[in-house]
RNA sequence: GCCGACGUAGCUCAGCUGGUAGAGCAGCGGUUUCGUAAACCGCAGGUCACGGGUUCGAAUCCCGUCGUCGGCUCCA
């Protein structure tokens, strides 16, 4: 799968979907649909601006919309607003709310609006020397047929389409939450503004509940759980964005792989294995270079010719000899006290200088001798430059498709071979920018549930549907109820730049894909201008319980790369034809999927996925009892159950506490009484004591739950 | 990459306006022999992210680097 598609918006932020409906592009109809809460928050952002102006009258404002969990206002202000300022701002906001000013709407002409903006009267408490520059810019961008309106609360007047609550007093409870920077109109060429975030609710209780919910959400944060449950770690020496899975985390990855392998095997996929690196030429061919180079780790240079190495070694040797001779010849007093020590401390540059000084002090003869030696030692280096300036470059792979295309091409293919489905849990490396790294969700090394399906146009629909079926099957298994398929299409005006210049193929592929999506009845939204450069794609967006939204999986139609790689199959009519390639990764990457599952389950994995499935807790450490415990352990392990014995000196309550904290799924508590009756006391995480069960029965139940991947 | 905040023991954190580090849990060693969410005693554990600077003296102040976090940007 070419993971380039695997990325949109995995940060907790206003969702992509709500982004389409963001304040700037809102039509009057959409505005009318603003919920009461959004209206309240939008009003709160005006109150925020009012308060900021009371403190810093020179502040310039851009946009201040409601967002998913609150509101913000973008402000341009020399003073850096920090959380320390929040109290001061909030105090002013409270005054404004207490004053209970009405929000008054006024419709004005475009000229009047421009006039006010020039006088600095927009998003301001009074006229000001500086014009309201951002507001003026916004006016320019309002469609001519749309009405321009102002809203006023107290002295504050703002260009705003509304709607608002009736009076500032209706803003019941609010709190400023953070401040961050944002580019005006999200364009990095524009000035950076300070974005002050806050949230507001009708009542204090709702506000408190919201913060309590955030506290709860923190407990589900995959980074926190990952550490607590000993699943994965990051290490400075290994590098940022390069997670290492501890045994408990690796166990989850292994289960996911097992799931994928079983599912894919049954669906006619074949597994392949490819190296983690490839030569530059592969990525030139695929088209990833130079366009994708920025997201790849810098290349490794490998000297192409053996003679290069030999010359290099000889050159170094001669150079060292030259130095030694020079030192011997022109520094007879090397043995004088302190000299060796002094030279020993010098680096090459200092030593060079020192030698030159000594030599020139010794006269012309010495200079000539030294020059001869220097030339001697440098000639090989010149030769070497001519022999082999060429290097071979290798790249860590950032995607698996080029390798898979090569495997397709490795053997002559007939239409009888299609569809050919090549699958691999390939490890890719991507140089994500430092600011983009985020726990396990956005990393620099990732292992993807990748596969490429090569098929004929006639087979496309069935293959595409089968892939979608697979997605849905997985979602059901994991209890993922909220998801959205984003169908990204191309923008015809960007053919040849952003998208391969194949208007007909784009049209065909997109129509084909759209039809399949419609027929399957899957919910999807269509997003223009976000396709991969080689074809339309479908990203699957999910929301973790924490409210984080990200692209979990992806599915792309590729008509371009097979051509670039000259992939062909011999059709019935004895003509060579290019197959369509479907890239797909229903389980995304291990990293992100595990991160998602952690938050999804709050670390309380179903038995089959549990890092530690069963822990045997003994009451006391009587040797006979320990034997009983070990025999149960051995039986479980013989059936591939991840089981442990807690043989610590803790009392039983302590052992239970620790097992519960580690979220061990099933605890088997055994004491003498159990041993004598050949039973175990079953305790399930989160469910408490389920009572004594015959040993065989308990084990059978565990095995059955794992086998069926029960919830 | 950009803006901002943060970085103290394995983890969670304390350490006031500068006077060379402290708790709980985890770990280790004992004791305890127990019935469904923490038995008791003791021990050990730190280049206060790293590197410079200011100072008689720096975890504390300043600068730089690295890393993490919150956003922004990117994500063909």
């Amino acid at each position: 799968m070419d993971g380039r598609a695997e990325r949109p918006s995995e940060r907790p932020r206003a969702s992509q979907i709500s982004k389409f409906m963001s304040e700037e592009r809102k039509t009057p109809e959409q505005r009318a649909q603003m919920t009461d809460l959004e209206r309240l928050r939008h009003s709160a952002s005006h109150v925020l601006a009012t308060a900021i102006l009371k403190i810093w009258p020179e502040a310039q404002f851009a946009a201040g919309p409601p967002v998913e969990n609150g509101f913000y206002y973008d402000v341009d202000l020399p003073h850096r607003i920090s959380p320390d300022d929040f109290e001061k701002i909030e105090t002013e906001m409270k005054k404004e709310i207490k004053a209970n000013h009405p929000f008054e709407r006024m419709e004005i002409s475009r000229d009047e609006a421009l006039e006010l903006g020039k006088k600095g009267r927009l998003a301001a408490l009074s006229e000001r020397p500086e014009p309201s520059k951002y507001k003026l810019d916004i006016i320019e961008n309002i469609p001519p047929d749309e009405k321009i309106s102002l809203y006023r609360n107290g002295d504050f007047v703002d260009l705003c389409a509304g709607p608002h609550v009736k009076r500032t007093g209706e803003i019941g409870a609010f709190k400023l939450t953070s401040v961050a920077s944002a580019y005006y109109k999200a364009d990095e060429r524009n000035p950076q503004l300070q974005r002050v975030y806050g949230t507001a609710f009708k009542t204090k209780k709702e506000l408190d509940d919201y913060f309590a919910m955030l506290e709860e959400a923190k407990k589900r944060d995959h980074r926190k759980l990952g550490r607590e449950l000993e699943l994965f770690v990051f290490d400075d020496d290994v590098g940022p964005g390069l997670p290492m899975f501890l045994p408990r985390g690796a166990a989850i990855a292994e289960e996911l792989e097992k799931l994928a392998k079983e599912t894919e095997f049954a669906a006619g996929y074949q597994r392949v294995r490819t190296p983690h690196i490839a030569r530059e030429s592969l990525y030139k061919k695929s088209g990833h270079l130079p366009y994708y180079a920025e997201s790849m780790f810098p290349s490794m240079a490998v000297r192409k010719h053996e003679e290069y190495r030999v010359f290099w070694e000889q050159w170094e040797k001669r150079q060292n000899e030259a130095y030694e001779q020079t030192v011997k010849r022109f520094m007879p007093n090397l043995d004088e006290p302190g000299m060796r020590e002094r030279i020993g401390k010098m680096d090459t540059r200092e030593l060079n200088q020192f030698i030159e000084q000594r030599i020139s002090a010794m006269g012309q003869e010495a200079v000539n001798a030294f020059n001869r030696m220097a030339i001697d030692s440098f000639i090989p280096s010149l030769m070497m430059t001519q022999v082999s300036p060429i290097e071979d470059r290798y790249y860590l792979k950032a995607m698996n498709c080029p390798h898979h295309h090569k495997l397709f091409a490795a053997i002559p293919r007939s239409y009888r071979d299609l569809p050919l489905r090549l699958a691999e849990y390939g490890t890719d490396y991507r140089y994500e920018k430092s600011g983009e790294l985020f726990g396990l969700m956005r990393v620099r090394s990732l292992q993807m549930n990748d596969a490429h399906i090569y098929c004929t146009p006639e087979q496309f629909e069935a293959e595409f549907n089968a892939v979608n079926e697979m997605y849905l099957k997985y979602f059901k298994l994991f209890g993922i109820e909220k998801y959205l398929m984003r169908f990204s299409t191309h923008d015809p005006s960007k053919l040849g730049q952003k998208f391969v210049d194949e208007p007909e193929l784009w049209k065909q592929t997109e129509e084909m894909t759209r039809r399949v999506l419609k027929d399957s009845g899957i919910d999807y939204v269509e997003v223009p201008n976000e396709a991969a450069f080689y074809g339309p794609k479908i990203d699957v967006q999910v929301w973790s319980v924490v409210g984080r939204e990200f692209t979990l999986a992806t599915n792309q139609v590729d008509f371009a790369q097979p051509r670039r790689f000259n992939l062909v199959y011999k059709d019935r009519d004895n003509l060579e034809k290019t197959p369509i390639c479907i890239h797909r990764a229903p389980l995304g990457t291990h990293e992100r999927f595990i991160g998602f599952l952690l938050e999804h389950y709050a670390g309380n994995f179903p038995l089959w996925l549990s890092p530690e499935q069963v822990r045997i807790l003994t009451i006391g450490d009587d040797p006979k009892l320990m034997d009983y415990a070990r025999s149960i352990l051995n039986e479980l392990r013989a059936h591939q159950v991840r089981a442990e014995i807690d043989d610590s000196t803790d009392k039983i309550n302590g052992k239970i506490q620790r097992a519960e904290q580690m979220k061990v799924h099933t605890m088997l508590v055994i004491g003498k009484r159990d041993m004598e009756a050949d039973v175990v006391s079953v305790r399930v995480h989160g469910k408490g004591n389920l009572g004594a069960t015959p040993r065989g029965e308990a084990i059978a139940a565990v095995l059955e739950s794992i086998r069926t991947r029960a919830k």
Side-chain angles (χ1 to χ4, degrees):
Chain A
M1 175 96 258
D2 179 341
R4 276 176 299 176
E6 187 250 321
R7 10 230 341 261
S9 146
E10 45 261 13
R11 290 307 201 82
R13 59 156 108 146
S15 82
Q16 291 275 323
I17 306 313
S18 54
K19 211 166 153 186
F20 303 135
M21 308 200 286
S22 74
E23 82 291 351
E24 285 171 68
R25 291 285 151 255
K26 259 185 185 153
T27 63
E29 294 77 48
Q30 284 169 330
R31 288 185 175 274
Q33 287 172 6
M34 214 186 247
T35 65
D36 289 349
L37 187 60
E38 281 173 326
R39 192 180 295 230
L40 183 147
R41 287 168 170 175
H42 185 199
S43 301
S45 78
H46 278 227
V47 171
L48 166 64
T50 310
I52 291 176
L53 282 164
K54 291 229 164 107
I55 304 168
W56 299 283
E58 72 277 25
Q60 292 285 350
F61 291 88
V67 288
E68 209 176 340
N69 292 313
F71 61 88
Y72 67 78
Y73 218 126
D74 281 345
V75 52
D76 187 355
L77 180 66
H79 170 80
R80 286 241 153 265
I81 296 174
S82 85
D84 298 338
D85 297 319
F86 286 178
E87 209 182 313
K88 201 162 49 176
I89 300 172
E90 284 171 350
T91 305
E92 288 299 329
M93 288 176 74
K94 276 178 197 151
K95 280 190 207 161
E96 181 64 20
I97 289 171
K98 203 164 177 198
N100 202 17
H101 290 123
F103 276 97
E104 297 170 81
R105 180 186 171 95
M106 291 162 272
E107 281 182 14
I108 57 171
S109 71
R110 182 166 301 249
D111 288 343
E112 287 168 318
L114 290 171
E115 194 54 36
L116 284 169
K118 281 175 193 153
K119 286 194 252 172
R121 189 61 184 99
L122 294 177
L125 301 172
S126 59
E127 291 186 5
R128 302 183 296 178
E130 292 293 318
S132 304
K133 53 182 174 181
Y134 301 105
K135 295 295 176 183
L136 283 172
D137 186 61
I138 292 170
I139 295 170
E140 302 288 335
N141 289 305
I142 296 177
D145 52 325
E146 215 172 285
K147 281 181 185 155
I148 293 180
S149 60
L150 301 182
Y151 270 85
R152 176 194 196 106
N153 54 293
D155 291 333
F156 181 73
V157 173
D158 199 356
L159 174 80
C160 178
H164 282 282
V165 293
K166 291 208 172 58
R167 310 187 78 93
T168 56
E170 287 181 38
I171 302 164
F174 72 93
K175 199 169 171 54
L176 297 184
T177 49
S178 65
V179 56
S181 76
Y183 297 104
Y184 179 53
K185 287 183 175 172
D187 187 334
E188 60 184 333
R189 287 165 304 192
N190 286 335
Q192 247 185 350
L193 307 173
Q194 303 187 61
R195 180 167 291 181
V196 182
Y197 281 90
T199 190
F201 290 89
K202 207 160 185 177
T203 64
K204 176 83 167 58
K205 179 165 187 312
E206 286 170 293
L207 185 72
D208 292 343
D209 287 349
Y210 172 72
F211 281 99
M213 188 273 287
L214 282 187
E215 280 307 307
E216 277 306 302
K218 267 191 199 164
K219 291 183 192 161
R220 283 180 170 243
D221 190 303
H222 76 279
R223 294 164 295 185
K224 183 176 158 68
L225 286 170
R227 193 168 44 236
E228 288 171 356
L229 303 183
E230 296 175 9
L231 301 178
F232 56 89
V233 292
F234 288 90
D235 183 286
D236 276 6
D237 287 325
V238 173
L242 301 172
M244 294 187 289
F245 287 96
L246 290 154
R248 288 170 173 274
I252 301 171
E254 301 261 340
E255 286 297 342
L256 293 174
E257 263 178 63
K258 213 191 286 176
L259 170 69
K261 285 174 183 174
E262 285 173 15
T263 310
E264 287 162 10
F265 183 84
Y269 287 70
Q270 295 169 286
R271 302 207 77 79
V272 296
R273 304 184 147 250
T274 60
H276 290 203
I277 66 173
R279 262 184 175 167
E280 188 171 39
S281 52
L282 183 70
Y283 298 114
K284 281 188 171 160
K285 203 163 277 184
S286 70
H288 289 101
L289 282 178
Y291 304 110
Y292 197 65
E294 206 178 282
S295 295
M296 294 173 76
F297 272 89
S299 63
M300 289 166 262
V302 178
R303 286 177 202 128
K304 201 165 186 175
H305 297 299
E306 179 61 7
E307 48 268 49
Y308 182 103
R309 192 179 59 77
V310 173
F311 268 110
W312 179 258
E313 279 171 9
Q314 283 183 354
W315 176 61
E316 275 189 334
K317 207 173 139 201
R318 304 252 337 232
Q319 214 181 20
N320 289 339
E321 279 168 15
Y323 274 122
E324 248 169 57
Q325 285 173 27
T326 313
V327 168
K328 254 185 218 155
R329 185 152 167 207
F330 299 110
M331 285 188 244
N333 46 3
L334 190 63
D335 289 321
E336 75 184 42
M339 183 61 81
R340 275 175 190 280
E341 222 178 272
R342 195 172 150 199
I343 290 176
K345 279 184 191 155
M346 292 177 178
D347 63 28
T348 321
R349 198 169 46 85
E350 289 167 329
L351 187 67
N352 259 326
Q353 274 178 1
F354 182 65
I355 291 173
E356 271 175 47
Q357 278 167 17
R358 298 291 296 217
I359 291 171
S360 44
M362 296 190 76
Q364 192 58 41
E365 191 214 337
V367 173
N368 291 345
F370 181 76
N371 282 345
R372 274 199 304 278
M373 246 175 286
I375 288 166
D376 269 4
S377 67
F378 283 115
I379 285 172
S381 81
L382 289 172
M383 285 173 64
M384 175 187 71
T385 317
Q386 284 168 1
V387 167
S388 179
I390 307 158
E391 291 166 337
D392 228 5
R393 295 195 169 274
Y394 284 79
Y395 283 85
L396 281 167
K397 69 177 174 187
M399 65 293 298
N400 307 309
C401 36
H403 284 88
H404 289 185
H405 297 335
K406 286 293 186 185
L407 289 176
F408 180 93
I411 296 171
R413 305 291 181 180
S414 127
Y415 70 94
R416 296 169 192 274
D417 297 327
L418 304 187
L420 183 74
R421 310 179 188 91
L422 303 180
E424 174 177 16
Y425 244 110
T427 306
D428 297 339
Y429 302 87
R430 298 188 184 158
Y431 195 77
E432 303 288 358
K433 289 187 208 158
S434 59
E436 295 172 336
L437 301 176
F438 176 67
L440 272 190
M441 301 300 196
R442 192 77 176 260
V443 291
R444 285 179 174 166
S445 72
L446 42 107
Q447 210 173 349
M448 192 153 28
N449 170 223
D450 210 356
H452 296 91
I453 301 169
Y454 303 88
C455 62
T456 66
E458 296 73 47
Q459 292 165 334
F460 174 77
E461 185 164 339
E463 287 304 310
F464 197 80
N465 265 326
V467 168
N468 279 335
E469 294 289 317
M470 199 181 281
Y471 279 79
L472 299 180
K473 189 183 156 190
Y474 286 145
F475 289 169
K476 202 172 163 205
L477 173 63
F478 293 108
I480 299 170
E481 279 156 18
K482 191 179 174 192
Y483 59 86
L484 183 85
M485 301 238 178
R486 298 177 74 231
F487 174 40
S488 302
T489 53
H490 80 298
D491 173 350
S493 71
K494 296 201 175 132
L495 282 172
Q497 307 156 37
K498 201 172 163 182
F499 307 112
V500 290
D501 199 4
E502 299 276 7
E504 258 317 295
L505 280 169
W506 274 107
K507 221 179 130 202
Q508 282 174 22
T509 326
E510 285 177 1
E511 270 168 19
M512 201 158 62
T513 313
R514 195 177 293 119
R515 195 182 62 238
V516 176
L517 274 171
K518 273 196 184 139
D519 290 352
S520 67
I522 293 169
D523 267 350
Y524 73 95
V525 291
E526 191 164 327
V527 194
N529 197 26
E530 290 199 15
F533 80 101
Y534 49 67
K537 70 179 182 187
I538 294 166
D539 290 326
V540 183
Q541 220 104 331
V542 297
W543 288 259
S544 74
V545 187
V546 183
R548 251 176 217 138
E549 168 204 359
F550 44 89
T551 299
L552 200 60
T554 181
N555 189 358
Q556 303 169 24
V557 187
D558 182 356
F559 53 80
Q561 282 201 72
R563 292 185 156 206
R564 293 191 74 111
F565 277 88
N566 275 325
L567 303 187
V568 290
Y569 61 94
K570 191 65 78 71
D571 208 351
R572 257 175 250 271
D573 52 15
N574 201 30
L575 290 176
E576 288 196 330
K577 294 180 185 169
T578 304
I580 294 179
C581 175
I582 301 172
H583 307 232
R584 44 112 278 175
L587 295 178
T589 66
H590 275 328
E591 287 73 15
R592 191 174 292 171
F593 207 82
I594 290 172
F596 169 78
L597 288 180
L598 259 171
E599 296 187 358
H600 179 67
Y601 289 122
N604 305 313
F605 290 103
L607 185 59
W608 71 277
L609 270 175
S610 285
E612 185 176 341
Q613 293 169 316
V614 178
R615 186 179 291 185
I616 300 161
L617 313 178
T618 56
I619 300 170
D621 57 2
D622 180 85
K624 271 192 188 157
L625 184 63
M626 294 315 286
D627 283 344
Y628 182 59
R630 272 189 292 272
S631 81
I632 296 170
L633 179 77
N634 291 338
E635 187 176 346
L636 286 167
R637 286 191 172 163
H639 287 97
Q640 308 297 309
V641 179
R642 293 183 291 277
E644 303 289 341
I645 293 177
D646 183 346
D647 57 2
S648 67
T649 57
D650 285 297
K651 302 209 170 188
I652 189 62
N653 277 336
K655 292 184 182 183
I656 286 169
Q657 165 100 4
R658 293 204 311 192
E660 290 282 357
Q661 276 172 349
M662 288 304 277
K663 301 180 185 286
V664 173
H665 187 281
T666 297
M667 289 151 275
L668 300 180
V669 177
I670 54 170
K672 271 184 195 159
R673 294 207 304 256
D674 304 283
M675 178 175 65
E676 279 151 16
D678 201 26
V679 297
V680 292
S681 293
V682 179
R683 182 188 169 97
V684 171
H685 175 60
K687 289 192 185 152
N689 187 4
L690 303 185
T693 313
R695 168 184 168 158
E697 224 173 85
I699 293 176
V702 164
L703 296 179
E704 181 62 8
S705 173
I706 294 172
R707 192 185 63 78
T708 58
R709 297 195 169 99
K711 289 209 166 91

